[in-house]
Amino acid sequence: MKLGVDIGGTEIKFGVVDDAFATVEKFAIPTPRKYGESIVEAIAEVCLETAKKYPVEGIGIGSPGIIDGREGVILRASNLPFLNTPVTEPLRARTGTRVVLGNDASCAMLGELYAGYGREYDDMLMITLGTGVGGGIIIDKKPYFGKNGSAGEFGHMVVEFDGLPCGCGRKGCFEKYASVSALIGLTVRAVEENPKSLLAEMSGAKIDGRTAFNAMKEGCPVAQQVVDEYISHLAVGVENLIMLFQPEIIVFGGAISNEGDWLLNPLRSKIVTDALLVCSRLKNDAGYIGAAAQLLDEA
Ligand code: BGC
């Protein structure tokens, strides 16, 4: 069995998968936010516990950011405190197990390639809409990683000249407009400007990426506007990606993809070019399933 680990901005997901990538058990812990090393340490603890229960033959990790897969190091990440953080070596030393490391969205793409839509389509893009925006590219059934392994950083395409500053050092990155954090930002602003709206009423103590969608489903026009503005931004990046790659299919993952057709129908109506847009079949499990799939020789 393999253990897949998907490091996210708010939680770290773990999944034990069998040889057919079916999930045997899955669980999650909150992401420690202080140091990159504390994240690696928290993962090691869970791996050791899991190995007591299952015959774990290898551990696959997916992390946001620019990864040196050969050295097993996270070079940097915009939304987590990683900077030249060694991952595979400390984990291998603690667990005595083979450990591999890749980008989280590339892992979601591998999950989709081996256990989802990738079995039916040759040319595919994956777009993950979470704390950041990630991407993955499949050309002719093969993952494309570019010269340094980091192709598919869709979240850092610049979609707005002199736009919002991003943690990566650029301005106007796609993820500043299309991530969960961006949607939360739009929701907070709308609540402040419309304190009597249903959206404000439904916000309660905490606004998250579901708040605007939930209020929109209850018929709130303010929430409808928030979702519409969010999807208009998303459409800009998606249209650009279609023109660049002409994929057969674009698969959406990450928290916002749980909205299904509430997300995709308006998105389809804003896209000029014909393209098949779907939400991941593996849902939130794509990341850890694909992280485990990195252990395959051909991955
Ligand atoms: C990072 C990507 C990552 C994405 C999703 C972006 O901010 O640059 O590497 O895949 O967030 O987590």
Side-chain angles (χ1 to χ4, degrees):
M1 284 179 194
K2 300 176 178 64
L3 176 59
V5 183
D6 180 16
I7 305 176
T10 48
E11 59 175 20
I12 306 175
K13 299 190 189 75
F14 296 82
V16 179
V17 300
D18 65 16
D19 289 345
F21 295 109
T23 300
V24 179
E25 193 185 338
K26 60 178 173 178
F27 34 87
I29 60 167
T31 309
R33 300 218 42 124
K34 233 173 169 184
Y35 307 108
E37 286 72 15
S38 48
I39 297 177
V40 178
E41 182 49 36
I43 292 173
E45 294 295 327
V46 176
C47 290
L48 286 168
E49 283 307 307
T50 311
K52 288 185 194 155
K53 254 176 105 181
Y54 300 101
V56 174
E57 70 191 66
I59 300 168
I61 315 268
S63 168
I66 307 292
I67 310 292
D68 181 338
R70 199 167 301 158
E71 296 295 324
V73 172
I74 305 172
L75 301 178
R76 58 184 178 280
S78 310
N79 303 308
L80 280 171
F82 291 122
L83 191 63
N84 298 323
T85 311
V87 175
T88 55
E89 190 39 41
L91 284 176
R92 197 203 52 76
R94 287 287 304 279
T95 61
T97 311
R98 184 177 165 220
V99 185
V100 292
L101 172 71
N103 173 269
D104 59 347
S106 299
C107 286
M109 171 195 76
L110 286 180
E112 211 48 61
L113 177 65
Y114 289 112
Y117 281 103
R119 290 185 291 201
E120 291 146 53
Y121 295 92
D122 295 343
D123 296 302
M124 177 173 95
L125 297 181
M126 176 95 202
I127 304 178
T128 61
L129 305 172
T131 307
V133 171
I137 306 162
I138 301 281
I139 298 175
D140 227 358
K141 280 230 179 301
K142 290 194 193 61
Y144 177 78
F145 294 114
K147 71 173 163 93
N148 55 1
S150 56
E153 279 283 348
F154 299 158
H156 300 284
M157 302 186 294
V158 175
V159 293
E160 178 92 28
F161 170 69
D162 211 18
L164 296 170
C166 180
C168 72
R170 297 175 188 87
K171 278 182 178 179
C173 288
F174 183 39
E175 77 172 27
K176 299 310 291 178
Y177 304 88
S179 59
V180 172
S181 325
L183 175 57
I184 292 174
L186 292 176
T187 311
V188 169
R189 199 186 65 198
V191 165
E192 280 165 10
E193 287 171 0
N194 303 276
K196 297 211 165 76
S197 62
L198 180 60
L199 177 66
E201 201 179 298
M202 287 177 69
S203 297
K206 194 169 173 281
I207 290 174
D208 61 23
R210 287 177 299 247
T211 310
F213 274 97
N214 287 344
M216 177 190 76
K217 291 171 199 168
E218 295 298 321
C220 171
V222 175
Q224 173 74 58
Q225 251 178 15
V226 169
V227 171
D228 194 62
E229 185 174 345
Y230 168 77
I231 295 178
S232 298
H233 284 297
L234 177 62
V236 172
V238 172
E239 187 83 57
N240 288 343
L241 290 169
I242 296 172
M243 295 319 289
L244 278 172
F245 291 99
Q246 296 297 344
E248 287 176 281
I249 184 167
I250 300 186
V251 183
F252 289 87
I256 298 185
S257 71
N258 292 329
E259 300 298 339
D261 280 342
W262 291 97
L263 173 77
L264 292 188
N265 282 339
L267 180 61
R268 288 179 185 119
S269 74
K270 291 176 195 287
I271 303 279
V272 178
T273 323
D274 228 13
L276 181 57
L277 309 181
V278 297
C279 290
S280 168
R281 277 194 185 140
L282 309 177
K283 305 239 181 246
N284 285 340
D285 301 344
Y288 72 74
I289 292 176
Q294 296 178 103
L295 291 155
L296 293 175
D297 290 339
E298 75 263 26

